[in-house]
Amino acid sequence: MRPFVVGILRGEGSAPELIGAACRVLNAVAESSGLDFCIKSGGKIGCSSAECTGEYLSDDVVEFCRKIFAAGGAIMAGAAGGRFVYDMRRRFDLYYKLNPLRSYPELRDVCRIKLPAKPLDILLVRENLEDIYQGISVETSCEDGREILHTFVHKEKQVRAVLEVAVAAARERQNALAVISKNSGLPVIHSLWRGCALEVAGASGVNVSFLDIDYAAYKLLHEPERFDVIVAPNCFGDILADLGGVLAGSRGLTFGASYAADGGAVYQTNHGAAHDRAETDTANPVGQIFSLAMMLRQSFGFDSAARLIEDSVRALWRAGWRTADLSEPGCKVAGTRQFAELVAREIQSAGVRQHEACSAPS
């Protein structure tokens, strides 16, 4: 079996510790499953790159990523500041992002909001290449001080492409798609998204609803069980993705990935670099570990390996293990490295149990 190529960008702040934790788990998966991974490391990204090269995404890192994608691999990146993620998406045409928004029964007592009894499993599809974040700003001065003109676009072709991803996902799930916009505030943009959504959904059998971003944020926290697949413009999608941390119990559990039409993909957490937690061994590695599971499933087709990772993390939660951000009375608190090591051991133990079950006489 050929080695599967994984490109690592360690990021900054607490990100290198989280990437290290995910790599420990990946090694355990490889040992347990017999899969062969070729792990390659790239250079600095974000603000640490800008200090050296003047660019948040340097030419060296661009070339590194190109080689990873050309080899059929995927990138797992740590959090980084500045324009890194936006530059990365534009450079490699990573035109949409998937953010799973989930809740976990094991963490019900940790969550600060009341959740439905059935675990949440919502998929957020976010447009990546347009809208406010990818606009152009021009600053001038006027009598009242600084004046900034910010222009951005929403192209029908791109809107349709993202909606096709969302509709396809909805067809494989519960045939329900919520389209997010702002009718009164941005009527022309709303009209574009609405018209394209109705046409793309067409005869697919997918039920399409339309919500303004402010009401959608309220509904996501008040009645999250009403959602299955959500599709949103860039900025609105970013806001809703962060609310997923409230549903899960901690922002440290959030994750997602950005995808190109040619199969290129970058997997990350959905939180920042947490510089205040750097080198303290206190950051929650689960978002990064779950992004690894997502990579194994989505880019390499290893669904069983992905489930093994997810089940191992949840087994630790059931056993009372927590990271500091999820601590509750009576729990056992583990640092970043220890929690990753516990996940790795659980994966290895599961592999042993599976082998023994297969070897037992019938």
Side-chain angles (χ1 to χ4, degrees):
M1 182 181 294
R2 68 180 176 87
F4 295 89
V5 180
V6 178
I8 298 295
L9 298 174
R10 296 191 176 277
E12 54 196 10
S14 63
E17 296 170 75
L18 303 185
I19 287 288
C23 287
R24 174 67 185 98
V25 172
L26 179 58
N27 288 334
V29 169
E31 294 170 6
S32 176
S33 62
L35 296 172
D36 187 8
F37 294 99
C38 176
I39 301 175
K40 299 185 177 182
S41 295
K44 295 181 178 181
I45 56 176
C47 296
S48 58
S49 170
E51 292 174 359
C52 302
T53 68
E55 300 288 341
Y56 297 110
L57 176 63
S58 68
D59 291 341
D60 287 345
V61 171
V62 168
E63 184 59 25
F64 169 79
C65 294
R66 281 181 178 153
K67 290 179 179 178
I68 297 297
F69 294 147
I75 299 290
M76 184 166 63
R83 293 283 305 176
F84 165 70
V85 293
Y86 310 109
D87 293 345
M88 187 78 163
R89 291 163 187 167
R90 290 196 67 84
R91 184 64 67 97
F92 292 102
D93 200 25
L94 303 166
Y95 72 101
Y96 71 95
K97 185 176 184 181
L98 299 181
N99 281 114
L101 310 182
R102 297 173 180 165
S103 66
Y104 306 94
E106 298 87 355
L107 302 178
R108 180 178 298 278
D109 294 337
V110 178
C111 289
R112 290 169 173 78
I113 63 172
K114 184 178 180 180
L115 294 172
K118 184 179 179 180
L120 298 170
D121 180 15
I122 302 167
L123 180 64
L124 172 63
V125 183
R126 170 184 167 187
E127 192 280 321
N128 261 352
L129 300 181
E130 298 179 345
D131 201 29
I132 298 172
Y133 294 161
Q134 298 289 6
I136 298 174
S137 295
V138 177
E139 181 175 344
T140 60
S141 58
C142 61
E143 293 181 359
D144 298 324
R146 299 168 64 193
E147 183 175 272
I148 298 171
L149 174 66
H150 187 75
T151 59
F152 58 92
V153 300
H154 283 249
K155 297 176 184 174
E156 181 176 345
K157 180 181 179 181
Q158 169 69 353
V159 172
R160 285 182 178 274
V162 174
L163 283 165
E164 286 170 0
V165 173
V167 168
R171 289 188 66 183
E172 294 180 356
R173 293 165 60 100
Q174 299 178 23
N175 285 314
L177 175 65
V179 182
I180 310 303
S181 61
K182 182 64 178 177
N183 187 8
S184 57
L186 300 167
V188 178
I189 294 175
H190 169 80
S191 176
L192 174 62
W193 277 82
R194 179 183 177 85
C196 290
L198 292 174
E199 289 182 17
V200 172
S204 66
V206 172
N207 297 314
V208 180
S209 60
F210 300 90
L211 291 87
D212 283 355
I213 176 59
D214 45 355
Y215 185 54
Y218 166 77
K219 293 289 283 186
L220 188 59
L221 296 183
H222 186 61
E223 294 182 293
E225 67 274 14
R226 298 281 186 176
F227 293 98
D228 182 43
V229 178
I230 303 172
V231 63
N234 202 338
C235 179
F236 293 166
D238 190 22
I239 294 168
L240 295 179
D242 261 19
L243 292 181
V246 180
L247 301 177
S250 169
R251 199 177 182 211
L253 302 177
T254 60
F255 64 100
S258 297
Y259 297 91
D262 62 6
V266 178
Y267 295 84
Q268 291 183 279
T269 63
N270 202 50
H271 57 72
H275 288 272
D276 59 324
R277 291 183 178 268
E279 299 182 1
T280 64
D281 194 39
T282 59
N284 189 340
V286 173
Q288 197 78 65
I289 291 170
F290 278 174
S291 78
L292 166 64
M294 189 178 186
M295 180 185 71
L296 295 179
R297 179 178 286 120
Q298 298 293 118
S299 285
F300 300 131
F302 298 141
D303 185 64
S304 60
R307 282 201 312 271
L308 177 60
I309 292 173
E310 294 161 348
D311 290 346
S312 295
V313 170
R314 294 181 64 180
L316 292 177
W317 286 338
R318 286 193 297 272
W321 286 102
R322 301 284 188 271
T323 44
D325 56 323
L326 296 172
S327 63
E328 54 186 326
C331 73
K332 297 172 284 188
V333 177
T336 307
R337 290 188 297 272
Q338 184 185 9
F339 197 88
E341 185 62 34
L342 290 168
V343 175
R345 291 178 186 175
E346 183 66 27
I347 288 170
Q348 291 162 344
S349 297
V352 171
R353 292 194 296 269
Q354 183 179 20
H355 177 74
E356 290 175 347
C358 293
S359 302
S362 57

